[in-house]
Amino acid sequence: LTVADGGKVVDHLHPEWTNLRFFSGSAPDCSIPGSPPLAGSPFPVTGPSTLPLRFELGTTRMWGVGLFPLGWARFVGGSAAALTNQVVDGTQHPAFVPFAPLADALYAGLPDDEAEFARLIACFRQLSRPVRDEAAIRAVHRAMVDTAMSTVAELADRAGLNPRTLERLCRRYFGFPPKLLLRRQRLMRTVAAYMTRAGGSWSSVIDGHYHDQAHFVREFQAFMRMGPSEYAALDH
C-alpha cells in the first residue's frame, strides 16, 4: 500500500474470522467498538468478530493470514470465544507467542514476495497439529456457508450434532453461538455481493433470508454500527 505525501487511509474491516497480519512499514492504528484500541503494532491479531474494525494505515507492506475455525483449532487452540471482537498485539498475547519468530524474520532482507511466502508456509507447517474435532468443525462450517441454511435446528441436523454439542463446538472454535454465526453469515453474503457489484443497490443484493429491507437495515446497524447508506458513502 502506497499513500501519497506520507498520508493515511481510513476504512472499516467487516466482521470476519481470526486474522494475523504482519506489517513492514507503517503499522495500523485500529479499534473495535467496546474493546481497547491498538496502535502501532507490527503484528496485530483480530479474533473472530461480529463488529467492524476501524483502521488508519500509511505506506506499508503486509502479509495477512486468515484462520477459519479449523485453522484456529490447528494453530492457536484454546477457546475462540475468549478473543471475540478484540484486536490484540500478537507480539505480547500468549496465544500467539509461537508466531513471534515469524513476525521477527518474515521481512528479513530486501522485499521478496516468494521468500516471505516460503517463510510463512514453513512456520505454519511447523506449528500444524492434529485436531480431535476436525470432522465436526468441517461439517458445521460446510453447513453454515450453505446459502439455504436459515435456522440452528437445520444447522445441527445437517452437521449431525445435537443442539448442545453444536453450541459448545461453535463457541470453542467459531467464537460465537450458532444463531449469531448464521446472522453474520447472512449479512456478509449481502455485503460481499454489494461490494463486488459496481453500481448496484442494496435492495438488489439483499439476502433472501431477510424478511424485508427494514430487517436488513436493522441487522446491518447491529453488526457494522452504522447504516448501509452511511457505510456505502465512505471511502474504501
Side-chain angles (χ1 to χ4, degrees):
L1 171 68
T2 302
V3 187
D5 302 322
K8 291 187 175 184
V9 295
V10 179
D11 205 348
H12 297 76
L13 296 180
H14 310 134
E16 59 182 0
W17 299 116
T18 300
N19 262 278
L20 289 65
R21 295 183 171 93
F22 304 90
F23 290 87
S24 175
S26 175
D29 295 341
C30 43
S31 61
I32 296 176
S35 298
L38 179 67
S41 170
F43 177 24
V45 178
T46 54
S49 58
T50 55
L51 295 171
L53 181 140
R54 181 188 184 277
F55 68 89
E56 298 183 18
L57 183 63
T59 296
T60 197
R61 297 180 73 239
M62 182 201 79
W63 284 92
V65 181
L67 297 181
F68 286 138
L70 182 57
W72 173 277
R74 181 165 291 162
F75 298 110
V76 183
S79 175
L83 204 69
T84 56
N85 290 321
Q86 296 179 55
V87 54
V88 300
D89 185 348
T91 67
Q92 303 294 323
H93 196 284
F96 303 101
V97 167
F99 295 98
L102 175 64
D104 291 338
L106 181 58
Y107 294 106
L110 296 174
D112 185 331
D113 289 352
E114 293 300 327
E116 292 157 7
F117 179 68
R119 293 179 194 122
L120 279 168
I121 296 302
C123 175
F124 276 85
R125 282 181 172 161
Q126 183 178 13
L127 295 176
S128 183
R129 60 191 172 210
V131 177
R132 180 189 60 188
D133 294 321
E134 178 169 352
I137 295 170
R138 286 185 181 275
V140 172
H141 200 168
R142 188 182 306 115
M144 184 180 300
V145 299
D146 186 338
T147 57
M149 192 63 54
S150 62
T151 69
V152 174
E154 292 172 344
L155 180 61
D157 183 66
R158 180 79 66 84
L161 301 172
N162 67 58
R164 291 185 65 181
T165 301
L166 175 65
E167 178 91 12
R168 185 169 62 249
L169 183 134
C170 282
R171 288 184 182 274
R172 179 171 177 79
Y173 299 116
F174 293 69
F176 299 101
K179 184 175 182 179
L180 183 55
L181 289 165
L182 288 174
R183 288 174 56 207
R184 185 184 74 166
Q185 197 68 30
R186 181 189 310 152
L187 179 83
M188 294 319 302
R189 281 198 298 266
T190 302
V191 173
Y194 178 82
M195 296 295 282
T196 55
R197 187 175 299 180
S201 64
W202 287 112
S203 58
S204 67
V205 296
I206 290 176
D207 192 88
H209 292 295
Y210 288 115
H211 304 313
D212 50 31
Q213 187 155 346
H215 182 203
F216 163 68
V217 171
R218 289 194 302 273
E219 288 287 271
F220 193 101
Q221 182 74 46
F223 283 97
M224 291 297 293
R225 297 299 171 91
M226 66 183 82
S229 297
E230 181 183 358
Y231 174 78
L234 298 173
D235 290 330
H236 298 293

